[in-house]
Amino acid sequence: MGFADRPEPSFGRVALDVGGSTQGSRMAILDAQAPAYWDGWRVGLTLSFTRANRLGYFGQGNNTIYDRDSTDGPGRSYFYRVGRSNRSARFTVQRRVVGPLRVLAGGSLEHTAFRVLPGTNLYQRDSTGPFNDRVARAGVILDTRDLEVDPHRGLFAELLVGSGRGYTRTSSSVRAYVHPLDRLILAGRLGAERITGTAPLAVQQTMETSDGPIVALGGARSLRGYYDARFVGPGKIIGGIEARYGVMWSPRLVELKLFAFYDAGRVFGPGEDLRLTRRGLHSALGGGVSLALLRNTLVLLEAGKGTEPAQVMFASTWSF
């Protein structure tokens, strides 16, 4: 970005991420993003091939129960696990309308398949076949953040509508950042999503954003302190507040921060009205440490605790 004070992390970037685990998970993601290469336009193309070989599966609905004893005994170590493979291609283009207001259009092709793991597990009860999806989406975005990777102040709001095979997904969220003291940043978010029609499991396990789908509800990007995809349903609400304090403070050069957070959310089953409510909310408290370097590098180590075992997470982006 040269010496210009702009919110985008770069004019453009192409990245190839490849990884694997000893438990059979693997990924290859080719991501090309041009947020400022052409004035007023943002273009993104992502090709991904992933296999989560031990993804959590706890059933569907807001009141599913996690019982650690269910994993004890021969053939039960994968009781709350399922294998999930995904291949997708996603294209998005955004156009600035006026000031911080943008419109979005895009589409994706996706293939998802689940694999029953050895032994006794919950997924055997709800087993589904492979799912091929094609999605067209559109949306409106209002973005006044001073920096996209590590904002100190500003507002981000989006409304997205996507149409897939047999379902329609409507997603909205608002994130706000204030900087009341020199080293203190306060952040908050509220998001909701409603899926109508026949939504397969693969669709219910994610929540749509303009940056791409996130695993929800549960995990580092939605409800910290719970396993990934801990609660699954066609309707979702998520909220949270966070306080970030700089202990090493050279703004936009090196920022080492300690932070604390509170997350809460729930899912709604088929036929339930999506609404803001305190009833049935799952919540978690936690905190961590983050390191921001220059304008576009961020790493976090955080831990959260809800009503189930505590989760420790490593990430390269804020939860919100």
Side-chain angles (χ1 to χ4, degrees), residues 21-42:
S21 82
T22 59
Q23 297 297 315
S25 296
R26 54 182 178 263
M27 71 168 189
I29 300 174
L30 179 63
D31 185 45
Q33 300 292 328
Y37 194 83
W38 299 280
D39 187 43
W41 293 87
R42 300 170 68 99

Side-chain angles (χ1 to χ4, degrees), residues 159-178:
L159 174 63
L160 307 171
V161 178
S163 178
R165 294 188 60 186
Y167 69 92
T168 299
R169 186 200 300 257
T170 304
S171 312
S172 60
S173 69
V174 177
R175 299 178 244 161
Y177 310 87
V178 295

